[in-house]
Amino acid sequence: IESDLRDALQLKQIDLFLQPIVALEDAEPIGFEALARWPRDDQLLTPTSFMPMLAEAGLTAELDLLIIEKALAAMPLLARPIPQRQMQVSMNLSGLLLEDDDQQQRLLTLIDDNPCPPGWGLQVEIVEDAFQVRTDLFERFLAALVERGVVIAIDDFGTGYSSLARLISLPIQMVKLDRAFVHNLDVPSDNGRTLLRTMIMMLKDLNLRITAEGVETEAQRQWLIAHNVTVAQGFLFQRPMPVSEAISLLETLNYRPRAMSVDQQQSNPMHQGFRLPFWGRRLFEHPDRPD
């Protein structure tokens, strides 16, 4: 199996799947998370089944780079049905990539060589524990990503260890609440709700944006909305899908940029060489939507 996996990586036979990230209020897609799927023996394997083997073989960074390469190549195709729409693609980075200068340079080169379509941005997701080792190499890499307009997110927040000092001092802009906390909203005990409510309040006070992962029920969605979480992903909205299906989804939504007068364009900072960050552009387009 490991030999087949190495061959699949070398031949770029690991498929890119995309799961929509949506605005909770109206389930409107505002981006996608890039995910890996391995077609093998008439099955479509998820990373859960082969990631431990990749980690043991020291190949997780190679998988990251392959999925990121495919995601960057897919973005112009995704953007075609929704010209000028503000969207974001989020991608995972493994610990091995974060520790290897050569792999980091490969990622930065990929980003430089594949500019995002107008209105589209990149986000990288890093698990909490990776932020505990603060080397100069790691901090320079984060700074290089931020210089390129990439949003830094903590993935699976609440399952590892995060120092409040690191949340403040590092260029973290987004936190993804782990699906376990969202799942506990359906448990009769109020302990899970209390913990999640406290986490949300803390993150809001730190001016960090929040995405809830693993939303599967309408009750979970309503609770999150009531507690000012505005962005989520999960099976309640869409399952991960191939790129072709993601394109078809965007085509059916029939998105178009809003009409804007010449006077509005001249007063719009986005038309004066100033590029707001992704969440700022969302608020500029939808000033009545809380972040």
Side-chain angles (χ1 to χ4, degrees), residues 56-280:
E56 186 175 346
L59 294 173
T60 55
E62 292 295 334
L63 176 65
D64 292 344
L65 290 168
L66 175 58
I67 294 303
I68 289 169
E69 178 183 353
K70 291 193 172 190
L72 290 169
M75 286 174 68
L77 302 176
L78 293 163
R80 194 171 298 163
I82 50 172
Q84 304 301 320
R85 187 76 179 187
Q86 308 302 318
M87 299 285 282
Q88 189 171 55
V89 173
S90 190
M91 301 169 287
N92 296 284
L93 299 186
S94 69
L96 286 180
L97 190 147
L98 298 171
E99 299 166 2
D100 189 309
D101 183 56
D102 290 339
Q103 304 281 30
Q104 293 172 10
Q105 292 305 313
R106 286 175 61 190
L107 172 59
L108 295 175
T109 299
L110 277 174
I111 294 173
D112 291 340
D113 291 346
N114 296 273
C116 296
W120 287 67
L122 295 176
Q123 175 175 286
V124 295
E125 302 180 15
I126 304 172
V127 295
E128 280 183 274
D129 291 341
F131 289 95
Q132 303 316 306
V133 181
R134 289 190 58 176
T135 63
D136 290 341
L137 174 64
F138 179 61
E139 295 196 19
R140 285 198 302 271
F141 177 55
L142 293 185
L145 289 172
V146 172
E147 287 173 5
R148 289 162 171 79
V150 179
V151 174
I152 310 297
I154 296 182
D155 194 18
D156 300 333
F157 183 77
T159 60
Y161 173 78
S162 286
S163 162
L164 291 181
R166 288 183 173 88
L167 285 177
I168 296 170
S169 62
L170 291 174
I172 299 165
Q173 298 157 295
M174 165 69 76
V175 170
K176 300 191 75 175
L177 298 173
D178 186 71
R179 64 186 67 248
F181 296 101
V182 176
H183 176 75
N184 282 338
L185 292 175
D186 292 334
V187 176
S189 170
D190 195 49
N191 292 338
R193 296 183 185 87
T194 300
L195 178 58
L196 186 54
R197 183 164 51 244
T198 303
M199 290 169 58
I200 292 170
M201 291 174 60
M202 178 192 71
L203 295 171
K204 290 285 185 181
D205 286 344
L206 293 173
N207 293 319
L208 293 169
R209 293 177 293 131
I210 300 171
T211 297
E213 294 187 285
V215 179
E216 298 183 357
T217 67
E218 181 61 23
Q220 294 168 357
R221 173 176 172 266
Q222 291 299 333
W223 190 95
L224 291 166
I225 290 174
H227 291 82
N228 299 315
V229 176
T230 60
V231 178
Q233 63 188 96
F235 290 172
L236 178 64
F237 312 107
Q238 295 284 348
R239 292 176 177 269
M241 61 188 69
V243 174
S244 59
E245 291 184 18
I247 294 172
S248 297
L249 171 66
L250 295 178
E251 288 174 342
T252 61
L253 295 173
N254 195 30
Y255 285 157
R256 290 294 181 270
R258 292 184 177 182
M260 184 179 293
S261 68
V262 174
D263 291 341
Q264 286 176 310
Q265 292 183 28
Q266 291 175 347
S267 64
N268 185 343
M270 291 183 67
H271 292 270
Q272 298 176 3
F274 176 78
R275 184 173 177 81
L276 289 168
F278 172 74
W279 64 95

